[in-house]
């Protein structure tokens, strides 16, 4: 073999191995991009399903809130009938609303009872609601209703008495077409397929057909998700189908999972052509070297074009981020102005209702006085909510606007305990106060720190059981002051600890009826951050929640 031939063969081998290395990198990149697009499709489908079902859940709560449970019986009045009518009129995805007692008897319905009775009752998920006290919502199996003239998926909420015993359920029929449309929305790639199934593995809906069409794929997804729990996201190869990539999103707010799949062999045709050129390079002559060089040059041009497109996409994303930040600032400013403007007419409503109730305008019937008292209480609650929104917007617009002064931390904690005493007495909750004997002072905004402590104590009293104990402690060291509130409640779900301080968050997202607007902890965390401190929450091993507010700069002073 001549030296020239040897060099040519060596160059061919080097070029072939180099091309194979580039192909492997391209394959990994394409697979990664496919995984990302699959995961994004799962997130988008979950978001659309969440928006569709959130309205249905709100209507379930609307109906359930108008039902009174007394002596193990459900009492249905005109307000419940109006709530059922509003639930059916305001949500196009709902077909039929019904209320059942603990025995499964239909006591109220927003559609003809004949024909939807036992099918719509869906005793399988009512049994689940009865058996699991922690389960607030449940889905049934899809069925075709002759009266409703559509395929619906029952979605139910438990109704319990004051002792937590199951008293009945309120259910709606969510149209299968609405869920399929939600799964298919924002899915630009026709090869991606979306599925919706309950957290026990039952397939509820699919984006491209009837629920039963892809039951086997859904069962494989469910089996793989169970192996990788408790992760919210997942992406990998389906068992028995290595050419398919799957990603899912388990929503903590609903007992269901949204998943999408895609064929993994869907790679750009240029990669397969270049691979063929690499195989031919092993047995080609000098002319094949030039052919391979041409293919490599074409690949470089393609990569360059892709890089240019990525640069354009990156610039567009940065511009979109700037626009989003401006919109968020405008939203916060608008919220602050509206919250402030709402207070004046609301104060007039509360004031005149109170004056009328007290008889300043003349004697009024007792029933009217009771109605005015309800208006007064509702106005006070709305006033507090508006004040909370105004606090949040002020902190977002100017988190440094604090009126700091040297303050007595022990007195602040005493005042917070005094303000929480009334709510604690109503639940027979005892508040224990622990403080050092020496005076403790620090530079802080006294009213803001008091607001944080009152919020933490109110949460502890509200979440704790009757006749429990809440401990409030003040500790000092050379680094600063620490306020700690311990309760004996249920704590916080582990998957919510990272998002609990986000606005409109809740410790228990599946709560039947959350209190407030979900801003107390978000505002408290911003107040402590504006002081240069922090607010943390953690579950205690012995049960309950530990809330710790750190205030830097404080130090014990001699008496």
């Amino acid at each position: 073999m001549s030296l020239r031939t040897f060099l040519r063969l060596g160059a061919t081998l080097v070029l072939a191995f180099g091309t194979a290395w580039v192909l492997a990198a391209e394959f990994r990149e394409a697979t990664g991009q496919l995984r990302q697009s699959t995961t994004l499709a799962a997130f988008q489908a979950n978001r659309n399903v969440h928006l569709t079902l959130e309205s249905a859940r709100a209507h379930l709560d609307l109906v359930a809130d108008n039902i009174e449970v007394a002596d193990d019986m459900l009492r249905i009045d005109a307000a419940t009938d109006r709530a059922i009518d509003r639930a059916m009129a305001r949500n196009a995805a709902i077909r039929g609303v019904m209320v059942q007692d603990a025995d499964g008897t239909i006591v109220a319905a927003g559609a003809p009872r004949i024909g939807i009775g036992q099918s719509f009752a869906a005793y399988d998920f009512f049994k689940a609601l009865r058996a699991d006290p922690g389960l607030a919502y449940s889905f049934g199996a899809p069925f075709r209703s002759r009266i409703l003239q559509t395929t619906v998926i029952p979605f139910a909420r438990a109704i319990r008495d004051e002792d937590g015993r199951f008293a009945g359920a309120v259910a709606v029929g969510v149209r299968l077409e609405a869920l399929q449309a939600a799964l298919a929305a924002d899915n630009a790639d026709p090869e991606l397929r979306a599925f919706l199934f309950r957290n026990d593995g039952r397939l509820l809906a699919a984006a491209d057909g009837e629920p039963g069409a892809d039951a086997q794929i859904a069962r494989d997804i469910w089996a793989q998700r169970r192996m990788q729990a408790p992760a919210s996201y997942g992406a990998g190869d389906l068992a028995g189908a290595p050419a398919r990539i799957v990603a899912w999103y388990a929503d903590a707010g609903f007992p269901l999972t949204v998943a999408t799949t895609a064929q993994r062999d869907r790679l750009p045709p240029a990669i397969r052509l270049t691979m063929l050129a690499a195989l031919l390079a092993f047995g080609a002559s000098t002319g094949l070297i030039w052919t391979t060089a041409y293919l490599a040059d074409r690949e470089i041009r393609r990569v360059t074009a892709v890089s240019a497109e990525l640069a354009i996409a990156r610039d567009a994303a940065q511009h979109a981020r700037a626009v989003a930040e401006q919109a968020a600032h405008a939203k916060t400013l608008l919220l602050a102005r509206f919250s402030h403007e709402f207070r004046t007419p609301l104060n007039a409503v509360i004031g005149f209702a109170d004056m009328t109730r007290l008889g300043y305008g003349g004697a009024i019937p007792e029933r009217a006085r009771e109605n005015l008292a309800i208006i007064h209480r509702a106005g006070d609650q709305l006033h507090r909510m508006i004040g909370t929104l105004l606090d949040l917007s002020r902190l977002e617009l100017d988190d440094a606007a604090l009126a700091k002064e040297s303050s007595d931390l022990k007195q602040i904690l005493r005042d917070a305990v005094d303000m929480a005493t009334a709510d604690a007495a109503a639940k027979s909750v005892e508040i224990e106060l622990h403080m050092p004997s020496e005076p403790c002072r620090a530079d802080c905004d006294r009213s803001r720190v008091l607001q944080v402590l009152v919020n933490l104590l109110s949460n502890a009293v509200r979440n704790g059981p009757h006749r429990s104990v809440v401990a409030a402690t003040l500790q000092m060291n050379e680094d600063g002051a620490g306020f700690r509130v311990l309760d004996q409640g249920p704590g916080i779900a582990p998957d919510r600890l990272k998002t609990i301080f986000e606005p409109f968050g809740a410790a228990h997202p599946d709560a039947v009826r959350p209190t407030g607007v979900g801003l107390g902890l978000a505002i408290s965390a911003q107040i402590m951050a504006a002081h240069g401190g922090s607010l943390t929450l953690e579950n205690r091993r012995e049960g309950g929640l530990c809330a710790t507010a750190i205030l830097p700069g404080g130090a014990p002073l001699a008496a």
Side-chain angles (χ1 to χ4, degrees), residues 15 95 110 114 125 150 161 208 228 249 352 504 527:
L15 183 58
R95 288 294 183 270
I114 301 175
F125 67 81
T150 185
D161 58 18
D208 58 343
Q228 298 187 11
Y249 183 85
F352 281 105
F504 308 103
I527 290 175

Side-chain angles (χ1 to χ4, degrees), residues 2-16:
S2 64
L3 179 60
R4 179 175 298 180
T5 303
F6 180 78
L7 291 176
R8 289 177 178 176
L9 290 177
T12 303
L13 292 175
V14 170
L15 183 58

Side-chain angles (χ1 to χ4, degrees), residues 211-247:
D214 299 287
Q216 182 60 48
I217 296 179
R219 282 194 292 269
D220 293 340
I221 296 173
W222 169 244
Q224 185 172 357
R225 177 182 174 275
R226 291 183 61 187
M227 290 188 296
Q228 298 187 11
S232 296
Y233 285 93
D237 296 335
L238 282 176
R244 186 173 290 275
I245 289 178
V246 60

Side-chain angles (χ1 to χ4, degrees), residues 158-337:
I159 302 175
R160 304 185 186 277
D161 58 18
E162 294 181 353
D163 298 327
R165 294 174 299 184
F166 180 82
V170 54
V172 300
V174 181
R175 289 193 304 116
L176 175 64
E177 295 84 359
L179 292 178
Q180 289 175 338
L183 291 173
D186 297 332
N187 186 3
D189 192 341
E191 295 294 330
L192 288 171
R193 305 176 71 182
F195 308 91
L196 174 69
F197 50 92
R198 296 191 323 202
N199 283 355
D200 60 0
R202 180 188 289 271
L203 182 65
L204 296 179
D208 58 343
E210 292 294 330
D214 299 287
Q216 182 60 48
I217 296 179
R219 282 194 292 269
D220 293 340
I221 296 173
W222 169 244
Q224 185 172 357
R225 177 182 174 275
R226 291 183 61 187
M227 290 188 296
Q228 298 187 11
S232 296
Y233 285 93
D237 296 335
L238 282 176
R244 186 173 290 275
I245 289 178
V246 60
W248 62 83
Y249 183 85
D251 196 327
F254 298 99
L256 52 81
T257 296
V258 173
T260 59
T261 65
Q263 291 292 337
R264 194 176 67 175
D265 59 357
R266 292 170 53 252
L267 299 179
I271 296 180
R272 292 193 290 270
L273 292 176
T274 311
M275 183 179 296
L276 177 61
L279 294 176
L280 293 177
F282 280 103
S285 60
T286 304
L288 186 58
I289 296 178
W290 292 102
T291 302
T292 308
Y294 166 75
L295 295 175
D297 181 66
R298 188 179 66 178
E299 189 68 17
I300 292 174
R301 289 196 301 269
R302 192 190 68 83
V303 172
T304 302
V306 172
S307 300
E309 293 176 357
L310 291 176
I312 295 174
R314 182 181 64 250
D315 294 340
Q318 292 176 350
H319 175 71
R321 178 180 178 181
V323 172
E325 290 176 351
Q326 293 176 358
H329 181 78
K331 177 268 298 180
T332 302
L333 185 60
L334 180 63
L335 181 62
R337 291 177 178 175

Side-chain angles (χ1 to χ4, degrees), residues 18 28 84 107 130 275 344 359 404 432 505 513 518 541 558:
R28 289 192 298 269
I84 291 176
V107 297
R130 182 196 298 271
M275 183 179 296
T344 299
K404 290 187 178 180
E432 296 180 351
R513 188 179 183 183
R541 292 183 178 179

Side-chain angles (χ1 to χ4, degrees), residues 57-139:
R57 181 166 68 176
H59 292 308
L60 287 177
D61 294 343
L62 175 66
V63 176
D65 290 344
N66 286 278
I67 296 175
E68 181 182 0
V69 181
D71 301 327
D72 297 329
M73 296 292 292
L74 299 181
R75 294 184 178 178
I76 309 298
D77 55 14
T80 305
D81 292 334
R82 289 193 297 271
I84 291 176
D85 293 339
R86 289 197 301 270
M88 293 186 62
R90 296 182 181 179
N91 190 341
I94 290 180
R95 288 294 183 270
V97 181
M98 64 164 36
V99 180
Q100 291 182 273
D101 60 16
D103 297 327
T105 302
I106 301 174
V107 297
R113 300 189 185 187
I114 301 175
I116 66 174
Q118 186 167 352
S119 297
F120 198 10
Y123 289 103
D124 56 335
F125 67 81
F126 283 160
K127 291 179 181 178
L129 289 174
R130 182 196 298 271
D132 187 359
L135 186 62
Y137 298 90
S138 182
F139 290 86

Side-chain angles (χ1 to χ4, degrees), residues 37 200 221 325 351 367 380 382 442 449 461 497:
S37 64
D200 60 0
I221 296 173
E325 290 176 351
R367 180 58 179 173
D380 283 342
L382 183 57
V449 175
V461 171
L497 282 174

